[in-house]
Amino acid sequence: ERAQAAASLASAVRRDNPTVSVSLRNERAESGADSRNAIQFGIRIPIDTEARNAPRLAEAARAVASAQARVDEPARMVVALRQAAQADLEAADRRIELAVQRLAAADEGLRLGERAYALGERSLVELLRLRAIERDARLELDSARTGRDAARAAMMQSMGLSP
């Protein structure tokens, strides 16, 4: 508001104030001669010139723009945080989709591996490896869900809500 008021003043007051001056001059002549006294009156009325006003108006416009940028910065930061939180939430959702697909594939592989082991076509080592893969897929899904919950909490915080 202060910068806006200064800009309004700079555009409204286009010239300096007029001045009136009075001066007294006392000159002493050589010895014996009369001294000369003089009174001078002066009036100075400045005119409105672009060369004088352009720098003042530019400085006032710069101050307004700078003040507006300082006012807008928190809003830009909130928008940037909200966009980052939204991107993190979308990435967490994609990670969950991939983890669900991986778990489905691991479950199917374990089911087939157990049937093959029961029929004697697979060894115990291969069955244990398939169980480890299935367990890792479950852990990855749990981790992805936890990441989504954290991303959702960050998103809510960016909107000013408590998670």
Side-chain angles (χ1 to χ4, degrees):
E1 293 177 11
R2 232 183 273 170
Q4 191 69 34
S8 297
L9 182 64
S11 63
V13 178
R14 306 282 296 179
R15 59 185 174 92
D16 287 334
N17 293 328
T19 57
V20 176
S21 62
V22 177
S23 65
L24 175 63
R25 188 183 323 172
N26 186 6
E27 298 177 357
R28 290 188 189 177
E30 299 174 8
S31 63
D34 290 339
S35 63
R36 293 185 355 196
N37 295 324
I39 297 177
Q40 288 183 324
F41 294 98
I43 297 176
R44 183 174 160 264
I45 301 174
I47 58 173
D48 179 18
T49 63
E50 191 62 31
R52 181 197 167 278
N53 290 328
R56 290 180 54 221
L57 294 174
E59 176 60 25
R62 186 209 55 82
V64 168
S66 176
Q68 189 63 41
R70 282 193 306 273
V71 167
D72 292 345
E73 180 155 357
R76 283 193 307 269
M77 290 294 293
V78 167
V79 169
L81 288 173
R82 189 173 296 150
Q83 289 173 346
Q86 181 66 35
D88 290 346
L89 185 59
E90 290 170 3
D93 286 338
R94 284 191 303 274
R95 186 173 169 215
I96 286 178
E97 290 173 11
L98 293 174
V100 165
Q101 291 173 359
R102 181 175 179 220
L103 181 59
D107 282 341
E108 179 66 19
L110 180 60
R111 188 182 63 76
L112 293 175
E114 286 175 343
R115 186 185 320 161
Y117 177 74
L119 295 173
E121 296 174 357
R122 298 277 174 150
S123 68
L124 179 61
V125 173
E126 290 176 356
L127 179 63
L128 293 176
R129 185 178 54 81
L130 290 172
R131 285 184 181 167
I133 290 172
E134 191 265 344
R135 186 194 45 169
D136 288 344
R138 283 195 191 284
L139 289 174
E140 182 181 341
L141 180 58
D142 290 342
S143 174
R145 286 181 177 152
T146 302
R148 181 190 57 197
D149 292 343
R152 185 176 291 139
M155 181 68 179
M156 290 176 71
Q157 286 176 346
S158 73
M159 295 186 323
L161 305 172
S162 63

